[in-house]
Amino acid sequence: MTRHLDDALLDDVDRRLTSADAALKAQYPGDDGRRQPIHTVYLPGDRYTATMPQEWGAAALDAAQNAGGLDAVAAMIGSTDTADTLAELVARKLTTEPIEDLRIDFEDGYGNRGDTTEDADVAAAVSRLRTALDAGTSTPFVGTRFKCFEAPTRRRGLRTLDLFIGGLMETGGLPDGLTLTLPKVTSVDQVEAMVFVAETLESEHNLPDHRIRFEVQVETPQAILGADGSAPVARMIHAGDGRVSSLHYGTYDYSASLGIAAAYQSMEHPAADHAKNVMQLAVAGTGVHLSDGSTNILPIGDADTVAHAWKLHARLVRRHLERGIYQGWDLHPAQLVTRFLATYAFYRDGFGPAATRLRNYMHKLDSTILDEPATARALAAVIDRGVTCGAVTVDEAESATDLPMSTVRDTALGRATTTTRRDQ
Protein backbone atom coordinates (compact mmCIF):
# COMPACT_ATOMS: atom_id res chain seq x y z
CA MET A 1 0.00 0.00 0.00
CA THR A 2 1.30 3.44 -0.92
CA ARG A 3 1.37 6.31 1.57
CA HIS A 4 0.35 9.72 0.27
CA LEU A 5 0.50 11.57 3.61
CA ASP A 6 4.24 11.59 4.24
CA ASP A 7 6.09 12.57 7.41
CA ALA A 8 6.60 16.14 6.23
CA LEU A 9 2.85 16.59 5.90
CA LEU A 10 2.24 15.04 9.32
CA ASP A 11 4.82 17.40 10.81
CA ASP A 12 2.97 20.29 9.20
CA VAL A 13 -0.34 19.16 10.70
CA ASP A 14 1.34 18.97 14.12
CA ARG A 15 2.62 22.51 13.65
CA ARG A 16 -0.81 23.80 12.62
CA LEU A 17 -2.40 22.32 15.73
CA THR A 18 0.29 23.20 18.28
CA SER A 19 -1.66 26.14 19.69
CA ALA A 20 -4.93 24.22 19.76
CA ASP A 21 -3.23 21.31 21.55
CA ALA A 22 -1.79 23.64 24.18
CA ALA A 23 -5.13 25.41 24.70
CA LEU A 24 -6.99 22.12 25.10
CA LYS A 25 -4.48 20.88 27.67
CA ALA A 26 -4.57 24.13 29.63
CA GLN A 27 -8.32 24.78 29.55
CA TYR A 28 -9.59 21.21 29.79
CA PRO A 29 -7.08 19.28 31.92
CA GLY A 30 -9.67 16.76 33.13
CA ASP A 31 -10.28 15.39 36.62
CA ASP A 32 -7.33 16.00 38.92
CA GLY A 33 -8.39 13.20 41.28
CA ARG A 34 -9.28 15.36 44.27
CA ARG A 35 -12.17 14.20 46.41
CA GLN A 36 -15.58 15.77 45.83
CA PRO A 37 -17.84 15.90 48.88
CA ILE A 38 -21.34 14.55 48.37
CA HIS A 39 -22.91 17.54 50.09
CA THR A 40 -22.31 20.97 51.60
CA VAL A 41 -23.90 22.14 54.84
CA TYR A 42 -24.38 25.88 55.32
CA LEU A 43 -24.63 27.25 58.86
CA PRO A 44 -24.89 30.90 59.99
CA GLY A 45 -21.50 32.07 61.21
CA ASP A 46 -22.64 32.92 64.71
CA ARG A 47 -24.14 29.46 65.22
CA TYR A 48 -21.06 27.44 64.36
CA THR A 49 -19.37 25.54 67.20
CA ALA A 50 -16.43 23.16 67.27
CA THR A 51 -18.76 20.25 68.09
CA MET A 52 -21.46 21.15 65.57
CA PRO A 53 -20.77 18.29 63.08
CA GLN A 54 -21.02 15.64 65.81
CA GLU A 55 -24.17 17.28 67.14
CA TRP A 56 -25.76 17.21 63.69
CA GLY A 57 -24.87 13.53 63.30
CA ALA A 58 -26.44 12.68 66.66
CA ALA A 59 -29.54 14.72 65.80
CA ALA A 60 -29.87 12.88 62.47
CA LEU A 61 -29.66 9.50 64.19
CA ASP A 62 -32.28 10.62 66.73
CA ALA A 63 -34.60 11.75 63.93
CA ALA A 64 -34.26 8.37 62.23
CA GLN A 65 -34.82 6.54 65.50
CA ASN A 66 -38.03 8.49 66.09
CA ALA A 67 -39.26 7.19 62.73
CA GLY A 68 -38.48 3.55 63.55
CA GLY A 69 -34.79 3.51 62.70
CA LEU A 70 -32.65 3.90 59.61
CA ASP A 71 -33.94 0.68 58.08
CA ALA A 72 -37.51 1.96 58.36
CA VAL A 73 -36.59 5.26 56.70
CA ALA A 74 -34.74 3.35 53.98
CA ALA A 75 -37.89 1.38 53.26
CA MET A 76 -39.94 4.59 53.35
CA ILE A 77 -37.87 6.19 50.57
CA GLY A 78 -37.86 3.02 48.47
CA SER A 79 -34.31 1.76 48.81
CA THR A 80 -33.62 -1.33 46.71
CA ASP A 81 -30.53 -2.38 48.70
CA THR A 82 -30.77 -4.69 51.70
CA ALA A 83 -32.11 -2.36 54.37
CA ASP A 84 -29.88 -3.72 57.13
CA THR A 85 -26.72 -3.20 55.06
CA LEU A 86 -27.72 0.31 54.06
CA ALA A 87 -28.72 1.21 57.61
CA GLU A 88 -25.45 -0.09 59.02
CA LEU A 89 -23.33 1.88 56.56
CA VAL A 90 -25.30 5.10 57.08
CA ALA A 91 -25.22 4.74 60.85
CA ARG A 92 -21.44 4.44 60.66
CA LYS A 93 -21.25 7.54 58.46
CA LEU A 94 -23.46 9.62 60.74
CA THR A 95 -21.30 8.61 63.67
CA THR A 96 -17.86 9.11 62.13
CA GLU A 97 -18.28 11.74 59.38
CA PRO A 98 -21.79 13.21 59.44
CA ILE A 99 -20.80 16.31 57.44
CA GLU A 100 -18.33 16.14 54.57
CA ASP A 101 -18.27 19.82 53.66
CA LEU A 102 -19.17 22.72 55.96
CA ARG A 103 -19.59 26.36 55.03
CA ILE A 104 -19.56 28.88 57.86
CA ASP A 105 -21.94 31.41 56.35
CA PHE A 106 -21.71 35.18 56.58
CA GLU A 107 -23.96 35.82 53.58
CA ASP A 108 -27.72 35.15 53.31
CA GLY A 109 -27.76 32.72 56.22
CA TYR A 110 -26.22 35.38 58.43
CA GLY A 111 -27.52 38.72 57.13
CA ASN A 112 -26.36 42.27 57.76
CA ARG A 113 -25.57 42.95 61.42
CA GLY A 114 -23.04 45.76 61.25
CA ASP A 115 -19.26 45.66 61.16
CA THR A 116 -18.69 45.38 64.91
CA THR A 117 -20.94 42.35 65.29
CA GLU A 118 -19.77 40.57 62.14
CA ASP A 119 -16.10 41.16 62.97
CA ALA A 120 -16.64 39.59 66.38
CA ASP A 121 -18.58 36.65 64.94
CA VAL A 122 -15.86 35.98 62.36
CA ALA A 123 -13.22 35.97 65.09
CA ALA A 124 -15.31 33.62 67.24
CA ALA A 125 -15.94 31.27 64.29
CA VAL A 126 -12.22 31.12 63.48
CA SER A 127 -11.40 30.35 67.11
CA ARG A 128 -13.95 27.54 67.22
CA LEU A 129 -12.79 26.16 63.90
CA ARG A 130 -9.21 26.14 65.11
CA THR A 131 -10.31 24.17 68.17
CA ALA A 132 -11.94 21.57 65.92
CA LEU A 133 -8.96 21.45 63.56
CA ASP A 134 -6.51 20.98 66.40
CA ALA A 135 -8.69 18.25 67.91
CA GLY A 136 -9.06 16.47 64.58
CA THR A 137 -12.85 16.74 64.71
CA SER A 138 -13.41 19.23 61.89
CA THR A 139 -15.07 18.24 58.64
CA PRO A 140 -12.91 17.09 55.67
CA PHE A 141 -13.81 20.30 53.82
CA VAL A 142 -14.55 23.57 55.58
CA GLY A 143 -14.58 27.26 54.79
CA THR A 144 -16.72 30.35 54.62
CA ARG A 145 -19.21 32.05 52.36
CA PHE A 146 -18.76 35.80 52.48
CA LYS A 147 -20.99 38.51 51.04
CA CYS A 148 -21.08 38.97 47.27
CA PHE A 149 -19.10 41.37 45.08
CA GLU A 150 -22.04 43.59 44.21
CA ALA A 151 -21.34 47.19 45.23
CA PRO A 152 -23.49 47.37 48.41
CA THR A 153 -21.86 44.33 50.08
CA ARG A 154 -18.45 44.04 48.38
CA ARG A 155 -16.32 45.74 51.05
CA ARG A 156 -18.03 43.89 53.89
CA GLY A 157 -17.54 40.57 52.13
CA LEU A 158 -13.86 41.21 51.54
CA ARG A 159 -13.41 42.34 55.14
CA THR A 160 -14.87 39.06 56.37
CA LEU A 161 -12.71 37.05 53.98
CA ASP A 162 -9.61 38.98 55.08
CA LEU A 163 -10.36 38.39 58.77
CA PHE A 164 -11.19 34.71 58.20
CA ILE A 165 -7.99 33.93 56.28
CA GLY A 166 -5.87 36.10 58.57
CA GLY A 167 -7.32 34.50 61.70
CA LEU A 168 -6.57 31.00 60.45
CA MET A 169 -3.03 31.98 59.48
CA GLU A 170 -2.39 33.57 62.86
CA THR A 171 -3.55 30.48 64.73
CA GLY A 172 -1.90 27.69 62.76
CA GLY A 173 -2.39 28.03 59.01
CA LEU A 174 -5.02 27.10 56.45
CA PRO A 175 -6.65 23.65 56.64
CA ASP A 176 -6.10 21.26 53.74
CA GLY A 177 -9.81 21.22 52.95
CA LEU A 178 -10.26 25.01 52.91
CA THR A 179 -13.14 25.97 50.62
CA LEU A 180 -14.30 29.55 49.97
CA THR A 181 -17.60 30.47 48.33
CA LEU A 182 -18.11 33.57 46.18
CA PRO A 183 -21.90 34.02 45.95
CA LYS A 184 -24.26 35.72 43.50
CA VAL A 185 -21.66 36.09 40.78
CA THR A 186 -22.97 38.24 37.93
CA SER A 187 -19.91 38.84 35.75
CA VAL A 188 -16.56 37.48 34.66
CA ASP A 189 -15.09 40.69 36.09
CA GLN A 190 -16.07 39.57 39.60
CA VAL A 191 -14.21 36.29 39.15
CA GLU A 192 -11.15 38.16 37.92
CA ALA A 193 -11.38 40.47 40.95
CA MET A 194 -11.53 37.42 43.23
CA VAL A 195 -8.39 36.05 41.56
CA PHE A 196 -6.66 39.36 42.34
CA VAL A 197 -7.81 39.18 45.97
CA ALA A 198 -6.59 35.57 46.28
CA GLU A 199 -3.19 36.50 44.83
CA THR A 200 -2.90 39.40 47.27
CA LEU A 201 -3.80 37.25 50.29
CA GLU A 202 -1.24 34.65 49.23
CA SER A 203 1.41 37.33 48.95
CA GLU A 204 0.54 38.92 52.30
CA HIS A 205 0.63 35.58 54.13
CA ASN A 206 3.55 34.05 52.23
CA LEU A 207 1.37 31.27 50.88
CA PRO A 208 2.19 29.13 47.83
CA ASP A 209 0.81 30.22 44.48
CA HIS A 210 -2.78 29.06 43.93
CA ARG A 211 -3.15 27.94 47.55
CA ILE A 212 -6.41 29.90 47.73
CA ARG A 213 -9.16 28.60 45.47
CA PHE A 214 -12.87 29.37 45.51
CA GLU A 215 -16.30 28.21 44.41
CA VAL A 216 -18.52 30.25 42.13
CA GLN A 217 -22.13 30.24 43.24
CA VAL A 218 -24.50 30.53 40.29
CA GLU A 219 -27.58 32.34 41.57
CA THR A 220 -28.24 34.92 38.88
CA PRO A 221 -29.45 34.70 35.27
CA GLN A 222 -26.55 36.94 34.23
CA ALA A 223 -24.18 34.03 34.93
CA ILE A 224 -26.08 31.69 32.60
CA LEU A 225 -26.91 34.05 29.72
CA GLY A 226 -24.94 37.23 29.10
CA ALA A 227 -26.09 40.36 27.32
CA ASP A 228 -24.11 39.22 24.27
CA GLY A 229 -25.88 35.86 24.17
CA SER A 230 -22.91 33.88 25.52
CA ALA A 231 -22.72 31.71 28.65
CA PRO A 232 -20.57 33.75 31.09
CA VAL A 233 -20.38 30.85 33.54
CA ALA A 234 -18.12 29.00 31.11
CA ARG A 235 -15.83 32.01 30.78
CA MET A 236 -15.78 32.41 34.58
CA ILE A 237 -14.06 29.05 34.97
CA HIS A 238 -11.23 30.00 32.64
CA ALA A 239 -10.99 33.55 33.98
CA GLY A 240 -10.39 31.96 37.37
CA ASP A 241 -6.87 30.96 36.32
CA GLY A 242 -7.14 27.50 37.84
CA ARG A 243 -8.58 28.79 41.13
CA VAL A 244 -12.26 27.96 40.55
CA SER A 245 -12.84 24.67 42.34
CA SER A 246 -16.59 24.25 41.87
CA LEU A 247 -19.81 25.70 40.53
CA HIS A 248 -22.76 25.64 42.94
CA TYR A 249 -26.35 26.17 41.86
CA GLY A 250 -28.40 28.48 44.10
CA THR A 251 -31.98 27.24 43.92
CA TYR A 252 -33.94 30.09 45.42
CA ASP A 253 -32.04 33.21 44.39
CA TYR A 254 -31.89 31.97 40.80
CA SER A 255 -35.57 31.03 40.72
CA ALA A 256 -36.64 34.34 42.26
CA SER A 257 -34.51 36.24 39.73
CA LEU A 258 -36.58 34.66 36.96
CA GLY A 259 -39.86 35.65 38.62
CA ILE A 260 -40.88 32.09 39.49
CA ALA A 261 -43.55 32.05 42.21
CA ALA A 262 -42.25 30.90 45.59
CA ALA A 263 -44.51 27.85 45.66
CA TYR A 264 -42.89 26.55 42.47
CA GLN A 265 -39.25 27.29 43.22
CA SER A 266 -37.54 23.92 43.23
CA MET A 267 -34.38 22.02 42.32
CA GLU A 268 -36.42 20.25 39.61
CA HIS A 269 -38.09 23.26 37.99
CA PRO A 270 -37.37 23.39 34.24
CA ALA A 271 -35.55 26.70 34.74
CA ALA A 272 -33.29 25.03 37.32
CA ASP A 273 -32.57 22.14 34.97
CA HIS A 274 -31.65 24.54 32.18
CA ALA A 275 -29.20 26.43 34.40
CA LYS A 276 -27.61 23.23 35.65
CA ASN A 277 -27.36 21.82 32.14
CA VAL A 278 -25.38 24.91 31.09
CA MET A 279 -23.21 24.62 34.21
CA GLN A 280 -22.60 20.93 33.52
CA LEU A 281 -21.45 21.73 30.00
CA ALA A 282 -19.23 24.52 31.34
CA VAL A 283 -17.37 22.27 33.80
CA ALA A 284 -16.98 19.29 31.45
CA GLY A 285 -13.31 18.43 31.05
CA THR A 286 -12.10 21.33 33.20
CA GLY A 287 -11.68 19.45 36.49
CA VAL A 288 -14.10 21.90 38.16
CA HIS A 289 -16.76 20.20 40.28
CA LEU A 290 -20.51 20.84 40.07
CA SER A 291 -23.05 20.99 42.88
CA ASP A 292 -26.83 21.15 42.90
CA GLY A 293 -28.62 23.38 45.40
CA SER A 294 -30.99 22.64 48.26
CA THR A 295 -34.60 22.05 49.12
CA ASN A 296 -36.06 24.21 51.87
CA ILE A 297 -38.75 21.65 52.72
CA LEU A 298 -37.39 20.46 56.06
CA PRO A 299 -38.16 17.13 57.80
CA ILE A 300 -39.51 18.61 61.02
CA GLY A 301 -42.95 18.50 62.66
CA ASP A 302 -45.38 15.60 62.87
CA ALA A 303 -44.64 12.17 61.45
CA ASP A 304 -46.50 12.73 58.18
CA THR A 305 -44.75 16.04 57.55
CA VAL A 306 -41.35 14.50 58.25
CA ALA A 307 -42.08 11.54 55.97
CA HIS A 308 -43.17 13.85 53.15
CA ALA A 309 -40.01 15.96 53.46
CA TRP A 310 -37.75 12.90 53.61
CA LYS A 311 -39.34 11.36 50.52
CA LEU A 312 -38.99 14.63 48.63
CA HIS A 313 -35.37 15.13 49.69
CA ALA A 314 -34.40 11.54 48.88
CA ARG A 315 -36.01 11.81 45.45
CA LEU A 316 -34.24 15.08 44.67
CA VAL A 317 -30.88 13.72 45.83
CA ARG A 318 -31.34 10.64 43.65
CA ARG A 319 -32.47 12.83 40.77
CA HIS A 320 -29.32 14.93 40.61
CA LEU A 321 -27.10 11.87 41.09
CA GLU A 322 -28.75 10.20 38.10
CA ARG A 323 -28.08 13.36 36.10
CA GLY A 324 -24.37 13.30 36.87
CA ILE A 325 -24.36 15.96 39.60
CA TYR A 326 -22.68 14.37 42.59
CA GLN A 327 -23.08 17.06 45.25
CA GLY A 328 -25.90 19.09 46.82
CA TRP A 329 -26.72 21.26 49.81
CA ASP A 330 -28.25 20.31 53.16
CA LEU A 331 -29.80 22.82 55.55
CA HIS A 332 -30.97 20.78 58.56
CA PRO A 333 -29.59 17.84 60.60
CA ALA A 334 -32.53 15.59 59.71
CA GLN A 335 -31.74 16.01 56.01
CA LEU A 336 -28.53 14.08 56.62
CA VAL A 337 -30.65 10.96 57.06
CA THR A 338 -31.94 10.99 53.51
CA ARG A 339 -28.78 12.54 52.09
CA PHE A 340 -26.80 9.46 53.03
CA LEU A 341 -29.57 6.89 52.58
CA ALA A 342 -30.40 8.12 49.06
CA THR A 343 -26.76 8.59 48.08
CA TYR A 344 -25.66 5.23 49.41
CA ALA A 345 -28.63 3.50 47.76
CA PHE A 346 -27.69 5.13 44.44
CA TYR A 347 -24.13 3.84 44.57
CA ARG A 348 -25.09 0.41 45.87
CA ASP A 349 -27.82 0.00 43.25
CA GLY A 350 -25.31 0.68 40.50
CA PHE A 351 -22.35 -1.08 42.06
CA GLY A 352 -23.00 -4.70 41.03
CA PRO A 353 -23.61 -4.08 37.32
CA ALA A 354 -20.78 -1.52 37.13
CA ALA A 355 -18.30 -3.85 38.84
CA THR A 356 -19.21 -6.75 36.53
CA ARG A 357 -18.83 -4.64 33.40
CA LEU A 358 -15.55 -3.14 34.59
CA ARG A 359 -14.16 -6.57 35.48
CA ASN A 360 -15.15 -7.95 32.08
CA TYR A 361 -13.64 -4.97 30.28
CA MET A 362 -10.38 -4.82 32.23
CA HIS A 363 -9.76 -8.58 32.13
CA LYS A 364 -11.02 -8.96 28.53
CA LEU A 365 -13.71 -11.45 29.47
CA ASP A 366 -16.66 -12.37 27.28
CA SER A 367 -19.61 -10.04 27.80
CA THR A 368 -22.94 -9.19 26.22
CA ILE A 369 -22.00 -5.49 26.51
CA LEU A 370 -19.20 -4.07 24.37
CA ASP A 371 -17.83 -1.21 26.47
CA GLU A 372 -15.40 1.42 25.24
CA PRO A 373 -12.57 3.15 27.17
CA ALA A 374 -14.71 6.19 28.00
CA THR A 375 -17.41 3.94 29.45
CA ALA A 376 -14.82 2.00 31.43
CA ARG A 377 -13.73 5.28 33.00
CA ALA A 378 -17.34 6.04 33.90
CA LEU A 379 -17.81 2.58 35.41
CA ALA A 380 -14.67 2.96 37.50
CA ALA A 381 -15.62 6.48 38.53
CA VAL A 382 -18.98 5.48 40.00
CA ILE A 383 -17.31 2.69 41.98
CA ASP A 384 -14.58 5.04 43.19
CA ARG A 385 -17.13 7.66 44.27
CA GLY A 386 -19.11 5.00 46.11
CA VAL A 387 -16.04 3.82 47.99
CA THR A 388 -14.89 7.36 48.80
CA CYS A 389 -18.17 8.37 50.43
CA GLY A 390 -18.55 5.06 52.29
CA ALA A 391 -21.43 3.55 50.34
CA VAL A 392 -19.28 0.65 49.14
CA THR A 393 -16.40 -0.94 51.06
CA VAL A 394 -12.94 -1.40 49.57
CA ASP A 395 -13.26 -5.16 50.03
CA GLU A 396 -16.53 -5.20 48.11
CA ALA A 397 -15.06 -3.18 45.27
CA GLU A 398 -11.87 -5.21 44.95
CA SER A 399 -13.67 -8.53 45.17
CA ALA A 400 -16.31 -7.65 42.58
CA THR A 401 -13.89 -6.15 40.06
CA ASP A 402 -10.94 -8.45 40.78
CA LEU A 403 -8.82 -5.29 40.74
CA PRO A 404 -6.91 -3.40 43.42
CA MET A 405 -8.65 -0.17 44.35
CA SER A 406 -5.66 1.80 43.08
CA THR A 407 -6.29 0.42 39.57
CA VAL A 408 -9.98 1.29 39.79
CA ARG A 409 -9.06 4.88 40.68
CA ASP A 410 -6.45 5.10 37.94
CA THR A 411 -9.01 3.83 35.44
CA ALA A 412 -11.53 6.43 36.59
CA LEU A 413 -8.94 9.13 35.94
CA GLY A 414 -7.85 7.67 32.61
CA ARG A 415 -4.42 6.82 34.00
CA ALA A 416 -4.50 3.01 33.99
CA THR A 417 -1.98 1.56 31.56
CA THR A 418 -2.00 -2.06 32.66
CA THR A 419 -4.52 -4.42 34.19
CA THR A 420 -3.54 -6.05 37.47
CA ARG A 421 -5.61 -8.59 39.35
CA ARG A 422 -5.96 -7.69 43.01
CA ASP A 423 -4.04 -10.76 44.18
CA GLN A 424 -0.99 -9.95 42.03
Side-chain angles (χ1 to χ4, degrees), residues 337-410:
V337 176
T338 37
R339 169 63 61 183
F340 290 114
L341 283 172
T343 300
Y344 280 25
F346 169 80
Y347 285 114
R348 294 194 67 78
D349 287 350
F351 168 66
T356 298
R357 289 173 62 181
L358 182 64
R359 182 193 65 219
N360 291 343
Y361 175 86
M362 295 294 285
H363 297 306
K364 298 179 174 56
L365 303 177
D366 290 338
S367 174
T368 58
I369 302 175
L370 183 61
D371 284 318
E372 297 184 354
T375 304
R377 291 196 296 272
L379 294 168
V382 76
I383 296 170
D384 185 39
R385 286 181 180 276
V387 170
T388 299
C389 74
V392 177
T393 69
V394 171
D395 285 346
E396 284 179 312
E398 293 187 336
S399 176
T401 61
D402 196 18
L403 295 167
M405 199 59 217
S406 59
T407 299
V408 174
R409 291 198 177 102
D410 284 344

Side-chain angles (χ1 to χ4, degrees), residues 43 45 48 102-106 118-119 121-130 133 138 141-146 156-175 177-181 201 205 212:
L43 188 76
Y48 170 70
L102 175 63
R103 208 67 72 248
I104 302 170
D105 190 25
F106 288 97
E118 186 161 339
D119 286 352
D121 285 340
V122 173
V126 169
S127 176
R128 293 163 184 162
L129 176 55
R130 178 55 62 194
L133 290 168
S138 182
F141 301 89
V142 65
T144 188
R145 178 173 71 169
F146 46 94
R156 179 62 255 184
L158 286 172
R159 179 167 170 161
T160 292
L161 174 62
D162 189 15
L163 292 172
F164 188 82
I165 296 295
L168 287 172
M169 289 301 299
E170 291 166 7
T171 58
L174 304 183
L178 177 70
T179 312
L180 306 174
T181 305
L201 287 170
H205 293 291
I212 295 177

